[in-house]
Amino acid sequence: MFTLDAPARLSIAMALTGNRGDPALMRRQDEEAAQLGMSGAEIDAARAGRSFDLRRTRVLRLALAVKGEERADARRLAIQAGIDSQVCREIETIAKAHLPPTSIVGTVLDPYPKPVRPSGLGQSPTRLLR
């Protein structure tokens, strides 16, 4: 029977936060992963939402699909890989805790938006006056 161990939980967190560009978070995760015995390749794979283990791959796919249309398919594949429905619910709960905030109408907001360059920035002052 598959249980959600500490490396699997950390892999979920890394997959869901890997694109945030937070160096302090990444350092903490790297330290925790090293303490758990994860290799550099396993860390890189987890951040990309992958694993070298089939079951952990299914765990990550379900976690990444928790709010998407692929959730049912990801859950079915997890169960086929020997992950029971109770563990699937636990994965979904963990994943939901890592989701970015949503707006009132239900669309996901980007918690790390790209900076917008104001018009005229970088142009000479005289050109702006024209």
Side-chain angles (χ1 to χ4, degrees), residues 25-97:
L25 174 63
M26 291 176 75
R27 248 188 323 279
R28 286 191 309 272
Q29 289 174 337
D30 287 348
E31 290 168 5
E32 185 177 348
Q35 290 174 352
L36 294 171
M38 293 175 67
S39 70
E42 289 173 313
I43 292 168
D44 292 342
R47 282 209 173 95
R50 297 186 309 270
S51 175
F52 298 104
D53 175 77
L54 174 66
R55 286 186 176 160
R56 193 170 298 165
T57 296
R58 298 297 186 235
V59 165
L60 296 176
R61 180 171 179 184
L62 178 57
L64 291 168
V66 77
K67 286 287 277 192
E69 296 172 7
E70 304 139 13
R71 184 177 147 268
D73 188 47
R75 187 181 245 266
R76 180 184 56 76
L77 290 171
I79 290 170
Q80 284 178 350
I83 302 168
D84 69 33
S85 59
Q86 180 180 350
V87 175
C88 287
R89 282 191 299 277
E90 189 177 355
I91 293 163
E92 292 164 343
T93 300
I94 293 168
K96 287 175 185 173

Side-chain angles (χ1 to χ4, degrees), residues 99 109 112:
L99 288 175
L109 299 175
Y112 306 97

